[in-house]
Amino acid sequence: DQQVKQNSPSLSVQEGRISILNCDYTNSMFDYFLWYKKYPAEGPTFLISISSIKDKNEDGRFTVFLNKSAKHLSLHIVPSQPGDSAVYFCAAIGTTDKLIFGTGTRLQVFP
Amino acid sequence: DSGVTQTPKHLITATGQRVTLRCSPRSGDLSVYWYQQSLDQGLQFLIQYYNGEERAKGNILERFSAQQFPDLHSELNLSSLELGDSALYFCASSVWSGNTGELFFGEGSRLTVL
């Protein structure tokens, strides 16, 4: 049972434009939603999170939007830079303390 | 550098064998998590320890076991290895047991079973 889903395995965006990564979830009991970024040969690193009581959180070029009624969240990167090229994982956590990850979306930002 | 150390970085072994993966959490972190990433898969949660006690369990096979020692380092033991166990195994740590999901990951141990 995949509780956190990232249906787009890859995304290609031109430098300077907006990157939008999407994530859907099924468990309405999740308290926090997070995005992690992973470069090759490295472990995932925390990027940004949002509480279930909010609908938007912004940190510099990164903004996460949460639509609880649709059980959907998205990560916007504006403007996209070549250094943003990585795999992005959506994740969620609830009262069980289990951080559940999606399968990831590979973002490529080209010049 | 996340401060989480995993050894070995790479490991090649044969089916039926047993291996041990080791993780040292960040200084001060009491919780340790183990995740498995197979090819084209997300990170699958295996198990969590907090201050030496098992806290949460995911889809961990019976052939796998883990523990957290008094010095807070953790070991993941994989036995009767099968080809399908080939994967990246990540360890992560955090300060608290219950948390908001911000974990610090090591670089992973890549296991290849031949």
Side-chain angles (χ1 to χ4, degrees):
Chain A
D1 177 25
Q2 191 69 25
Q3 298 185 60
V4 179
K5 302 176 186 177
Q6 293 177 258
N7 293 318
S8 298
S10 64
L11 176 67
S12 190
V13 173
Q14 189 173 31
E15 181 179 5
R17 298 204 177 254
I18 184 171
S19 295
I20 300 176
L21 296 95
N22 294 303
C23 177
D24 297 297
Y25 62 95
T26 57
N27 188 342
S28 59
M29 300 302 291
F30 286 136
D31 294 320
Y32 286 91
F33 301 88
L34 306 92
W35 287 93
Y36 277 77
K37 177 178 176 179
K38 185 182 180 304
Y39 292 117
E42 294 184 11
T45 55
F46 169 76
L47 187 59
I48 191 169
S49 65
I50 186 167
S51 165
S52 61
I53 63 172
K54 296 188 175 181
D55 55 17
K56 177 182 175 181
N57 188 27
E58 191 172 353
D59 183 3
R61 297 185 297 113
F62 303 91
T63 302
V64 56
F65 295 91
L66 175 62
N67 182 335
K68 284 202 300 182
S69 61
K71 293 191 175 66
H72 177 84
L73 67 155
S74 60
L75 174 68
H76 292 210
I77 307 174
V78 183
S80 300
Q81 299 174 355
D84 296 329
S85 297
V87 177
Y88 289 79
F89 290 97
C90 171
I93 189 167
T95 55
T96 64
D97 293 341
K98 297 178 185 177
L99 184 61
I100 308 298
F101 283 85
T103 52
T105 296
R106 184 177 302 277
L107 173 66
Q108 183 179 14
V109 181
F110 60 93
Chain B
D1 182 7
S2 67
V4 178
T5 304
Q6 289 188 247
T7 57
K9 285 190 170 21
H10 301 276
L11 189 56
I12 301 174
T13 187
T15 55
Q17 296 298 305
R18 172 190 168 94
V19 299
T20 296
L21 309 179
R22 181 188 169 102
C23 170
S24 294
R26 287 190 322 158
S27 177
D29 284 358
L30 300 179
S31 271
V32 169
Y33 307 75
W34 286 98
Y35 282 85
Q36 179 193 55
Q37 186 183 20
S38 302
L39 191 63
D40 293 332
Q41 296 292 312
L43 293 121
Q44 300 293 320
F45 171 71
L46 295 178
I47 198 163
Q48 177 201 357
Y49 280 84
Y50 174 73
N51 203 20
E53 299 290 327
E54 183 183 303
R55 172 73 181 180
K57 212 167 187 176
N59 299 322
I60 186 167
L61 299 173
E62 286 190 11
R63 299 183 287 108
F64 296 0
S65 64
Q67 55 184 324
Q68 186 179 27
F69 294 87
D71 67 353
L72 300 178
H73 92 271
S74 178
E75 293 181 356
L76 179 66
N77 301 296
L78 315 175
S79 61
S80 302
L81 285 168
E82 302 176 358
L83 295 177
D85 297 328
S86 296
L88 258 176
Y89 291 85
F90 287 103
C91 170
S93 72
S94 69
V95 175
W96 307 111
S97 169
N99 63 80
T100 57
E102 184 175 348
L103 307 184
F104 295 87
F105 281 82
E107 293 184 348
S109 293
R110 182 174 293 281
L111 173 66
T112 302
V113 182
L114 301 176

